[in-house]
Amino acid sequence: MTAPAAAVARALHGASPVPYWLDEPDRRPAPLPALDGDERCDLLVVGGGYSGLWTALLAKERDPDRDVVLVEGRQVAWAASGRNGGFCAASLTHGLANGLARWPEEIARLEELGARNLDAIGATVERHGIDCDFERTGEIVLATRPHHVAELRDAVADAEAAGLGGLTFLDRDAVRAEVDSPAFLAGVLDRDGVAMLHPARLAWGLLRACREAGVRVHERTPALSLHTDPGAGAGGPAVTVRTPRGSVRARQVALGTNAFPSLVRRLRPYLVPVYDYALMTEPLSADQRAALGWRGRQGLSDNANHFHYFRLTADDRVLWGGYDVVYHYGSRIRHAYDQRPETFERLARHFFETFPQLADVRFTHRWGGVIDTCSRFSPFFGTAHEGRVGYAVGFTGLGVGATRFGAEVVLDLLDGARTERTELRMVREKPLPFPPEPVRAAGVGLTQWAMRRADETGRRNLWLRALDRTGLGFDS
């Protein structure tokens, strides 16, 4: 049943156009001073999201004497790290199916490393006393169309065939006993592989931990350019990054800019910035919670190509996001793109169609933000400038957890260390680059159309099958 337009408009009226997670003036750290002048350090980290924060913190944990500086163009967590759904997944491969398709021979190791990484995030939260509502709830992937049911059964069978456990198929009655919606036909429960958290508070807690470890942090300090100093000695500063009012000379640089244009220009064809959107409801009443069930508080998402993700917050609001994935010609990134009324209306309509028992609920926040995607849907890694610059990019929406693993890989690569991480084919290989414009925009548009058709029919057309064979893809 389609939700009435008037009800959708009423529910969205007055919703604040800011990310819910960042709307905490009493908790948000005071801005840190911008860099004014020239500095030197052992390691410069560019970017104050999860990638940069984890890299800086782990660098100090590995070597407390290492002099580390972090520069952030605006304020820590203002971008994807403070705008996401707060799902912290163990998967390093954007889901088991993607990992099995691309690295079947090492999927068991990748799953093990991902589980250890999620455990390490929980341990860091506890060790540093980070108040970010970290909760190991697990996740249910839902079938909302008949062909999804068979796909989910196959997913459990594929995991078992690969020697991997932890997934449980839920039929219609079982899944509706967990969360009640007439839209849910079946589900797959992952009990241990996903945690829920408050994403901005995690970033702010990591910032505090970095500063307590001795990392020097400069906010409102965009990195404008990067170059290798000619004739730099092996032990001295070798790379200079220029900022609006100064520079940093460092022996090594770790890039954590993700969706934003990389200082290493040859990386730019491998990444596409796309916009994702979310709504947050007002807190649910006790009666509304009872009508939903959802006692396990699991994270939820459906199995479509254009999928929704949704979850409960600590104060029983529902975050409802996803579905639209918006690319702007020329890989443009603009503040104005954070708001998209037609997407918010579509999301609200889908929400009420999924949960008709919440027909009177209103939304308090609406927001969007840019994420980085690459053609294999999962991060890739490497170095530049003769090994002095390291990067991990392309997280495609699962960076809340995988950025910590990416930070470990970057530090391994910068140290020239041979580890169980650097030996992975996933780490050693690069995805295929996206084509230049105008072919890029045309390809993204055609792929999105084909994905919508596949959601309706359950069949991948010739275009999607061709992309599958070449290893290209587009996702969020």
Side-chain angles (χ1 to χ4, degrees), residues 12 58 62 76 78 84 95 203 229 236 244 261 279 298 378 384 391 403 434 442:
L12 287 169
L58 292 171
R62 290 187 180 194
V76 163
W78 77 273
N84 59 77
D229 299 342
L279 300 171
Q298 304 95 334
S378 52
Y391 58 84
T403 45
F434 292 101

Side-chain angles (χ1 to χ4, degrees), residues 174-226:
V175 77
R176 291 191 64 173
E178 296 289 341
V179 186
D180 192 18
S181 166
F184 301 163
L185 307 180
V188 169
L189 171 63
D190 178 354
R191 296 183 185 278
D192 301 315
V194 182
M196 298 295 108
L197 53 77
H198 188 300
R201 291 185 195 170
L202 173 63
W204 298 335
L206 291 174
L207 171 63
R208 174 173 55 80
C210 284
R211 297 185 69 201
E212 289 174 352
V215 177
R216 289 175 283 149
V217 180
H218 297 283
E219 294 184 316
R220 295 168 295 170
T221 305
L224 304 178
S225 65
L226 178 155

Side-chain angles (χ1 to χ4, degrees), residues 26-218:
D26 294 339
R27 284 181 172 264
R28 188 169 187 162
L32 296 171
L35 177 65
D36 190 1
D38 301 321
E39 289 197 9
R40 295 192 179 201
C41 63
D42 297 322
L43 174 67
L44 171 65
V45 179
V46 179
Y50 294 139
S51 286
L53 293 167
W54 280 119
T55 302
L57 182 60
L58 292 171
K60 292 296 285 186
E61 289 180 353
R62 290 187 180 194
D63 180 3
D65 294 329
R66 180 159 25 190
D67 186 18
V68 180
V69 170
L70 184 150
V71 295
E72 159 56 38
R74 293 184 62 174
Q75 194 168 359
V76 163
W78 77 273
S81 297
R83 296 168 184 261
N84 59 77
F87 288 66
C88 187
S91 178
L92 306 175
T93 61
H94 205 269
L96 180 59
N98 192 49
L100 278 169
R102 297 181 186 277
W103 306 286
E105 78 285 358
E106 56 187 36
I107 189 63
R109 174 58 61 84
L110 288 167
E111 290 289 296
E112 177 192 355
L113 289 169
R116 283 161 45 188
N117 184 66
L118 182 57
D119 289 343
I121 292 171
T124 300
V125 166
E126 183 175 357
R127 183 168 64 254
H128 290 283
I130 299 175
D131 179 15
C132 64
D133 301 331
F134 188 86
E135 189 177 9
R136 292 288 285 263
T137 62
E139 180 184 38
I140 302 175
V141 178
L142 299 156
T144 56
R145 294 179 180 267
H147 62 265
H148 291 164
V149 179
E151 291 170 3
L152 293 183
R153 286 189 185 274
D154 290 344
V156 174
D158 289 344
E160 292 174 348
L164 303 170
L167 301 182
T168 303
F169 180 82
L170 305 175
D171 63 18
R172 183 178 185 132
D173 290 341
V175 77
R176 291 191 64 173
E178 296 289 341
V179 186
D180 192 18
S181 166
F184 301 163
L185 307 180
V188 169
L189 171 63
D190 178 354
R191 296 183 185 278
D192 301 315
V194 182
M196 298 295 108
L197 53 77
H198 188 300
R201 291 185 195 170
L202 173 63
W204 298 335
L206 291 174
L207 171 63
R208 174 173 55 80
C210 284
R211 297 185 69 201
E212 289 174 352
V215 177
R216 289 175 283 149
V217 180
H218 297 283

